[in-house]
């Protein structure tokens, strides 16, 4: 223990572990590797006022406001980093394996095409025939409602999986469960989400040939024969270019 007398009213005491106990007219303070201020007993560390990251603790009511602000900012910054870490961790999608028939449709109807231009019917046929796997499609995103039911965000994919489940060609599927509600513009179901209507493509194109007689009636509508005796069928613009996978699959089955 080392005692040093300073100007009247100030007593400086050095103790173990490089810890300083300061007693003076303005109060007292504690710090590490520090020297005292002239008044008030606030400590000034080697790395600057207030210490590094708030290491130095000033005495009661003796920390300068800017030092306190920096120390608080340091603590707050560390907390923000931790919070960010938790936020990023919680942002990882949560997945579940569920029966597709247990998922409700939020929408009343869907397009017969995906945004990529592929047909919903073709995707179903490729999955059924093994030309495509479930993992080849993005997961269906769902939200668990207040009623405990799972409500879909992605309705065309859900329709495909439900049709496969009904025919025994699909088991459970892996879905992404999100806390975000289904967008309002998608909440148009009129039957409690049990069914969705596939809007048929407009059949405005005519194709010819006997091979089209084996195509699904829903995709090709027979309208008679031309002058040469070739059968004519009405179909949509996508199938008019060439038979799609679902058509070829149908032909192979017959």
């Amino acid at each position: 223990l080392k005692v040093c007398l300073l100007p009247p009213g100030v007593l400086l005491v050095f103790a173990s572990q490089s810890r300083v106990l300061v007693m003076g007219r303005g109060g007292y303070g504690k710090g590490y590797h520090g020297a005292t201020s002239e008044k008030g007993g606030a400590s000034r560390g080697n790395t600057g006022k207030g210490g590094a990251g708030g290491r130095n603790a000033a005495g009661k009511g003796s920390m300068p406001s800017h030092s306190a602000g920096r120390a608080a900012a340091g603590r707050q910054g560390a907390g923000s980093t931790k919070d960010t870490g938790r936020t990023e961790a919680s942002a990882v999608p949560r997945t579940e394996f569920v029966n597709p028939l247990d998922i409700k449709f939020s929408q009343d109807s869907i397009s017969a095409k995906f945004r990529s231009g592929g047909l919903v019917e073709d995707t179903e046929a490729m999955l059924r025939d093994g030309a495509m796997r479930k993992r080849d499609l993005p997961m269906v995103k769902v939200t668990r409602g207040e009623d405990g039911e799972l409500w879909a965000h992605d309705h065309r994919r859900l329709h495909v999986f439900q049709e496969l489940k009904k025919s025994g060609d699909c088991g459970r599927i892996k879905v992404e469960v999100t806390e975000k509600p289904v967008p309002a513009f998608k909440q148009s179901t009129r039957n409690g989400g049990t069914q969705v209507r596939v809007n048929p493509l407009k059949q405005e194109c005519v194709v010819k040939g006997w091979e089209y007689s084996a195509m699904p009636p829903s995709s090709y509508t027979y309208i008679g024969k031309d002058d040469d005796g070739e059968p004519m069928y009405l179909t949509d613009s996508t199938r008019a270019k060439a038979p799609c996978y679902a058509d070829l699959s149908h032909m192979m089955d017959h």
Side-chain angles (χ1 to χ4, degrees), residues 108-113 196-202:
D108 178 62
S109 63
I110 58 174
S111 170
K113 282 185 178 182
V196 69
R197 184 180 74 256
V198 181
N199 296 324
L201 298 174
K202 294 182 179 180

Side-chain angles (χ1 to χ4, degrees), residues 140-178:
V140 175
K141 185 182 295 184
V142 299
T143 296
R144 190 174 299 280
E146 295 180 356
D147 54 1
E149 299 284 358
L150 292 175
W151 292 88
H153 289 244
D154 308 307
H155 301 83
R156 281 167 287 195
R157 271 171 277 157
L158 175 60
H159 169 73
V160 167
F161 287 127
Q162 285 202 358
E163 292 303 306
L164 292 172
K165 179 65 175 178
K166 291 175 183 177
S167 62
D169 296 303
C170 175
R172 296 189 303 168
I173 62 172
K174 189 177 183 179
V175 300
E176 176 186 339
V177 183
T178 178

